[in-house]
Amino acid sequence: MTNLRRKSSLKRTQQRMAVLFILPALAVYALFVLYPLAMSLWGSFFIWKGLRMVEFAGLSNFSRLFVFPSGARLYGALWHNTAWFFGIMVFQNGIGLLFAWLLFLRDKGAAFFQSVFFFPAVLSPVIVGALWRLLLAPGGVAEWALNGLGLHQGSLTVLGNSHTALGMLIAVDAWNWMGLPVLIYTAGLRQISGQIFEAAKLDGAGNARMLLSIALPLLMPAIGTLTTLSFINTFNQFDIVYVMQGVQGNPSYSTDTLVTYFYRLAFGAEGAVGITDIGLALALGTMLFLILSIGTLMMLRFFDRRTVQL
């Protein structure tokens, strides 16, 4: 009986000590994460004058998001973010998987090519955007090279064309982060037992069959991680758009995203210069937070259910 009491007392002491160790981290998290989120949500229910909340407006800021003149900007930006996500899934994560598979099969020199693929990822997206803006500008290196190879004639206006500008920005973003999926997929493939691939080869499976039937199911945790990170990154996309196309998402808002639209609403670049609508901006920020939170939870649950245990 005495021993049981001592164990119970020791357990309670350990639990108190654990709480004491966690409290500083919880306090920092509450101060820098929970408090700004709560204030953002609270502020979205008010009409603002400058940086002051002047009148409680209920849900009117949220309803104004979806009607003229905000509705067209919101739906356009949401579509661009969605297209950006699927473009990254195909051109960055899809092609990255193929590169990782080829490096895994070759093995010799894989570390060197991994470094080559990962090199752009060490550069800031701001630097990458500025670099590609110079390369793709009329009279730039890309125009000179394409004209020299006979693949294009005249001035190159891909960034000034509303039909091609968004695709070019997605391609630049994919180029910037191509090394990340190559690195993660290669590490995932090396965790798979070599005996599984040897057995598949003895059964007559080719490289394509091994990739689709063995590697892909076993890489589900890596695929889930990259898909979730890509979703969060693409729906927070700002720097490349800002550097290459300006805060208006030029030309004609064809590269506008939810975060650049938020920036214009919060800092006064929407409509007349200097006019801000912080209430509407906070409502948009709250909506974006809900999209990211719900989407991330759904993706984590989806990929967790499809993880193969050996």
Side-chain angles (χ1 to χ4, degrees), residues 92-226:
Q92 178 183 292
N93 297 347
I95 295 176
L97 175 62
L98 292 179
F99 282 141
W101 179 243
L102 292 174
L103 292 177
F104 175 71
L105 293 176
R106 179 182 171 82
D107 197 30
K108 189 177 179 181
F112 170 76
F113 286 107
Q114 272 185 313
S115 302
V116 171
F117 284 123
F118 197 74
F119 174 71
V122 304
L123 300 174
S124 163
V126 174
I127 297 174
V128 169
L131 173 69
W132 278 100
R133 183 177 178 178
L134 291 174
L135 292 175
L136 296 171
V141 175
E143 179 186 306
W144 173 79
L146 290 173
N147 285 339
L149 293 171
L151 299 175
H152 182 268
Q153 293 296 323
S155 182
L156 189 67
T157 58
V158 286
L159 292 181
N161 187 329
S162 59
H163 298 293
T164 57
L166 181 65
M168 292 310 302
L169 266 59
I170 294 172
V172 169
D173 190 29
W175 177 86
N176 190 188
W177 293 105
M178 177 65 76
L180 186 63
V182 173
L183 195 69
I184 292 178
Y185 285 138
T186 305
L189 287 167
R190 286 175 180 161
Q191 295 298 315
I192 301 172
S193 172
Q195 294 177 345
I196 297 175
F197 291 114
E198 291 297 329
K201 285 181 182 177
L202 290 175
D203 287 340
N207 290 333
R209 180 66 183 275
M210 285 194 294
L211 173 63
L212 296 175
S213 302
I214 298 175
L216 272 183
L218 294 177
L219 282 174
M220 201 53 71
I223 294 171
T225 300
L226 282 168

Side-chain angles (χ1 to χ4, degrees), residues 195-250:
Q195 294 177 345
I196 297 175
F197 291 114
E198 291 297 329
K201 285 181 182 177
L202 290 175
D203 287 340
N207 290 333
R209 180 66 183 275
M210 285 194 294
L211 173 63
L212 296 175
S213 302
I214 298 175
L216 272 183
L218 294 177
L219 282 174
M220 201 53 71
I223 294 171
T225 300
L226 282 168
T227 303
T228 306
L229 290 176
S230 299
F231 174 70
I232 295 170
N233 181 58
T234 53
F235 274 79
N236 280 317
Q237 191 57 243
F238 175 78
D239 31 25
I240 287 181
V241 178
Y242 183 80
V243 172
M244 296 186 70
Q245 300 296 84
V247 74
Q248 301 283 354
N250 293 320

